[in-house]
Amino acid sequence: MRRREWTRSSALGSFMLAASSPMLALWLLVLSFASPSLVNRARGTSADDESVLRRAQSVLAPRGIEAPELSRLALGTFLEAQDAYRACDFDACARTLDALWRRAPPGAEAWAALPSQPGGANFGTPTCYYALRMLGECVAWRRQQAAQAGRTSTERVRARPIVLCVVLAGHSSGVSPRTNGELEANGGVALAHDLDPALLANDGALVHESLELLREYALAITGGRLSIDVRIVALPELRLNVETRAGSVRTCGLAPEALDVVWAKLDASTRSTSDWWWLLYPSHVPETCPDFATTEFVTGGMASAPNGGPCFVIDDRWLVRKPPHLGRGPYSDGERRAYLPQWLQHELFHHLFHEYAELGLERESHQWFRRATWPDDFEGRFEADYYAQALEKRLRTPRARPRLDLVLRYAAPPAEVLRKLTPAAFEGEYERRPIENDWHRVTLKRTGTNELQWKNAAQARWRVEWDAQRGVLAIGADSPYFDREHPQRNELTIVPRRADDGAALAEVVGLRQGPDVWWRTTK
Amino acid sequence: MTLLVRLKKGRDGPDALSCTRSDGTSAWRRIPRGLALHDLAHFAVETELALAHGFFGLVASGWSFEELVAAHERARLPEQAIWVELLVSRFSLEALDDTPSDARAFHSELVRCAAPLELVVPRELTEDELSRVRAALRALAARWQALAPGETLELRFGSTSA
């Protein structure tokens, strides 16, 4: 990290300051009135080509990595711009980014010509492109807020933060192939792995750093309405089954029931007060076997948590080293800063496009990789351009209902809200969108003190029972959806109407079962 | 409203500040070398003077580090937070220059710095309060100095034990 240092000998002695601490930012706010000269010295100018190239070289040269000029400009720009951002020098950050975009605009062909992992380094593909675009969104929002500060701030509603719960599973075990032959035959040796201690070191520094840009991005794309608090939950005793599979896509990830196992291990409070999830488990990738020295194994992706929230899933080494298909060796700080946001953004947009299925932005899986499938009004070339266009032209427009920051809240309503709900509050008609058959149109009618009847347009019906204590509708054993093996799946959670600040209100607008929502169409 | 504050001394790079709230959520940030003293001064000021709306108090109550640097959020900062920043600034400078002043002079300097902010300094600290904050800061700084690289100073904000 570049250190922006200055010394004020008369008053601060040898106290060296580097403006990357929130407390210091506050302090600078004070000093900006008390001592303008000090602060003026902190206001940097944008980094020019030479300085960003020097910055890139300071990262690449020690590792003997040679890269094209645009890759070096992109890397140096990202590191310089993010440092300026961290120092709250948003103007300098924007100027640094703008200088790069003038050289190679978003979507320009020059980006497509860059090598994917120069010298075994992984800064994302094209180099830093996703992270640069995300940072661009962030700094545009920060500058807009700064410009509006004083005009609107006193009227602004303070949005309630959501909680991203990062679950660290202690162990994994499963059969691991040593050769392609064993992989094809679903054979191998039984192996167990422990969580890489690097993930727990320094109060979860790797996790926090990996999330840094995503958290800012979530704030930016929701206009400051979605602040993410991180909660790290280590489950050192938890052992999850993993599987390695051949096929058109090779996978080496959690066994199907793993999420249920994790969910059952979490305490009720953590489950009910968390919105988003990130499950990290010990890697089982057989990368030390010569047959798999360059093999890509898919080890995770985006899942839907039982509360409907996004659940990022990946193996622990994803944060520690480059997997064989993405480079060589351990991740450097710069690589992690640039690449992990790309991965997190990719997974988050799977979730967003599922939540707004009616917008048709992922009709085909990963359709952003095929330019011909893009909506006609979308511009750009790369996946990151697709996301930027999706935000600008769909997700941040009135076409996206409910509003983005409200859709992305999944924690259960608090007890005081649940207490206000009675079975009568659920009566009405619901539909699952898109409606594909008569089972997707439903009427809920009260039949007893806490009991309701779920009846769909295909005339199938079963019992559901309101459990006010847990805030769920329990699906009756007479339902064809009743799952005896996974009791936690036999629950519908509430999608409440939300106040402008995200607070849950005592009004049911939908019912959720895993990734599916039945939206209420009548009261 | 409690907060587990952990300041880790970096081995080759920056130090790190971690704040874990009682609900299990946490904020984490690398902090440049030299800035730990500023953090410790916050801790000393806010705990010794029982100020609930300084930096650590705000983080404990749910403010994120990001909110504290957002221009539009600053307008919502309680005045006490600005007062705390001024106090921390004064105590830090004193500690570095080893030039403690008496209560009257301390207050005058604070009022001078507060004027451009249109902040009315709520009250003058007593000699006893000044002594307690200085002693707490000295003790915290000594503990920090004694740490080897890679070790962590752990403090509890919002409880009696530090």
Side-chain angles (χ1 to χ4, degrees), chain A residues 2 36 56 75 99 110-112 126 207-208 211 248 256 297 309 362 409 444 468:
Chain A
R2 186 183 67 156
L75 172 60
W111 289 101
V207 171
H208 282 289
L211 289 169
S248 57
F297 285 97
E362 194 179 2
R409 296 174 184 275
L444 266 182

Side-chain angles (χ1 to χ4, degrees), chain A residues 349-357 361-362 368 386-387 390 395:
Chain A
F349 271 81
H350 277 307
H351 181 80
L352 281 176
F353 293 156
H354 173 82
E355 288 291 59
Y356 292 103
L361 292 170
E362 194 179 2
W368 43 85
Y386 189 92
Y387 299 151
L395 298 173

Side-chain angles (χ1 to χ4, degrees), chain A residues 11-12 15 18 20-21 23 26-27 30 33 142 145 153 156 158 202-203 205 208-209 215-216 230-231, chain B residues 6 8 23 25-26 28 30 32 34-35 39 42 55 66-67 70 72-73 75-77 86 89 93 117:
Chain A
L12 293 176
F15 197 27
S20 65
S21 153
M23 277 191 286
L26 263 183
W27 192 25
V30 173
F33 294 95
R142 287 284 187 190
Q145 292 305 309
S153 56
R156 187 176 168 277
R158 186 186 181 208
N202 198 1
D203 296 305
H208 282 289
E209 288 188 316
R215 293 176 64 233
E216 279 294 306
V230 176
R231 172 190 288 149
Chain B
R6 288 166 57 85
K8 180 175 179 178
D23 69 355
T25 60
S26 60
W28 186 96
R30 288 197 193 282
L35 213 60
D39 298 359
H42 263 279
F55 175 79
E66 291 78 13
E67 283 176 314
H72 64 284
E73 297 287 1
R76 296 190 306 103
L77 281 175
L86 289 169
S89 170
L93 294 175
L117 301 168

